[in-house]
Structure formats: C-alpha cells, structure tokens
C-alpha cells in the first residue's frame, strides 16, 4: 500500500509517534511523509488563544500527499482546535480512508477525537480508527506497544 503520514507537531510528541508509525509501516508499505508546517510559528499564548476558536486556521507550507491508498493524520490535542491541521484538512483534495493519531496531555481527549472524527466524515473522508497517546507515555518510551497494537488490529502489519 501507499500510505501517507501527515502530521503537525509543535513540541515533538506527535512527531515521535509519527516516526514510530513510519518505522513499523515501512517494513511492508510505501510511505509518503508530509509534515504540516505553519508558515509562521507563534508564541504559546497566541496558539492557545487560536486553539479556543473552533475552525481557526493559519497559513501552512505546501503539504501535498500525492494520492495515497490510506492517510494517517497526526495532531496534538489543542483545546478545541489545532489551526495548522484545520488548514491542512481544508486544503487537501484527496478523499479516502483516514486513520487518526492524537497526542495529548490527558484532558478531554476523547471528546476531541470524536469531534475530529465527525469532522472528517462531514468532509467526505472514511474514518478508520483513532489512536490516542498521552505525552507521558511518549516521554517514558511506552508508546511503541499501543502503536504496534493499533497497526496490527487495523491490518497494517
Ligand atoms: C495550545 C495548546 C493547547 C493544549 N490543549 C490541551 C488540552 O486541551 N488537553 C490536553 O490533554 N492537552 C493539551 N495540550 C497538550 C498537548 O496536546 C500535548 O502536549 C501534545 O502531546 C503536544 O503534541 P506535540 O508535541 O506534537 O506538539 C495543549 C498544548 C498546547 C500547546
């Protein structure tokens, strides 16, 4: 399969999860990596304010995913909204199966995941499954097992 992994990561946790997903999937699949990057980085306070505005957007660098069979989309859980990811979803023309991976501190992440899953469906994507990983698992290097379980139960390994 051709699998695109598109992710935004501000402090590195989602990137760590993306790296591990890529490491595992690369053994059996062709991987297209697309990092979602805002054109301008902002200070924490501005990101925080924007994260309270549902559907807030910022300009991002060109981030094409080149017609994959499946998309893995990675995002941190930011209050109600992660602006670079909103912009990515608005700009991508491709439609198909999307698997979500979300990293978080551990506050209200399930509702956030449900909202994002509903948004994907409204936009016309097929939502496959969602992996949520708390940042302390990543810091303690306990994220590999949930990632491999997630990939296995969805038939990617
Ligand atoms: C602006 C902002 C808002 C956040 N809001 C939440 C939140 O509502 N709930 C939560 O569990 N974590 C929240 N976090 C923590 C991040 O979700 C968590 O640290 C995540 O792993 C960061 O991913 P990254 O390192 O890939 O940027 C927030 C972080 C930032 C910067």
């Amino acid at each position: 399969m051709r699998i695109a992994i598109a992710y935004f990561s501000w402090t590195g946790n989602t990137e760590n999860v993306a790296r591990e997903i890529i490491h595992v999937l690369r053994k059996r699949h062709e991987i297209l990596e697309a990092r979602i990057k805002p054109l301008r980085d902002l200070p924490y306070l501005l990101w925080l304010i924007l994260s309270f505005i549902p559907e807030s957007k910022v300009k991002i660098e060109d981030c094409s995913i080149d017609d994959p069979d499946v998309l893995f989309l990675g995002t941190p859980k930011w209050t109600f909204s992660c602006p670079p990811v909103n912009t990515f979803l608005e700009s991508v023309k491709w439609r198909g199966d999307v698997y979500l991976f979300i990293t978080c501190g551990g506050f209200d992440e399930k509702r956030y995941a449900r909202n994002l899953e509903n948004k994907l469906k409204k936009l016309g994507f097929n939502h496959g499954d969602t992996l949520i990983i708390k940042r302390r698992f990543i810091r303690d290097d306990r994220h590999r097992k949930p990632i491999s379980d997630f990939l296995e139960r969805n038939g990617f390994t």
Side-chain angles (χ1 to χ4, degrees):
M1 270 195 200
R2 276 162 63 81
I3 302 180
I5 320 271
Y7 63 94
F8 169 67
S9 181
W10 195 52
T11 55
N13 297 326
T14 315
E15 180 180 6
N16 272 336
V17 173
R19 291 262 150 269
E20 180 63 16
I21 291 174
I22 291 169
H23 172 73
V24 176
L25 289 181
R26 204 161 249 161
K27 293 171 191 155
R28 288 190 53 186
H29 305 279
E30 182 188 346
I31 303 299
L32 314 159
E33 183 179 343
R35 187 162 183 155
I36 300 168
K37 282 193 200 143
L39 275 188
R40 278 183 52 207
D41 195 15
L42 299 176
Y44 172 74
L45 193 61
L46 281 182
W47 281 133
L48 186 64
I49 290 167
L50 286 174
S51 77
F52 273 90
I53 306 168
E55 295 307 319
S56 55
K57 293 181 188 69
V58 290
K59 288 192 174 148
I60 59 170
E61 291 179 11
D62 182 40
C63 185
S64 56
I65 54 165
D66 198 20
D67 201 23
D69 298 312
V70 173
L71 170 66
F72 279 65
L73 176 63
T75 178
K77 190 272 185 195
W78 274 11
T79 321
F80 302 127
S81 188
C82 186
V85 174
N86 293 338
T87 311
F88 171 78
L89 282 174
E90 186 189 63
S91 66
V92 70
K93 303 277 178 294
W94 175 90
R95 290 293 181 273
D97 295 342
V98 179
Y99 290 79
L100 278 175
F101 56 102
I102 299 173
T103 72
C104 61
F107 174 69
D108 204 23
E109 65 275 9
K110 289 199 178 123
R111 188 164 49 146
Y112 191 83
R114 272 198 309 276
N115 287 342
L116 192 49
E117 290 160 7
N118 288 336
K119 176 175 168 163
L120 287 174
K121 287 177 202 154
K122 270 192 204 136
L123 286 169
F125 297 95
N126 306 314
H127 170 251
D129 197 359
T130 301
L131 172 68
I132 301 177
I133 302 199
K134 293 189 180 129
R135 66 184 163 208
R136 65 172 177 273
F137 276 70
I138 303 163
R139 285 176 191 163
D140 299 349
D141 208 22
R142 285 187 288 148
H143 57 301
R144 291 174 217 282
K145 173 91 170 94
I147 291 171
S148 63
D149 290 350
F150 176 76
L151 295 175
E152 190 182 347
R153 78 167 175 264
N154 287 296
F156 290 101
T157 58

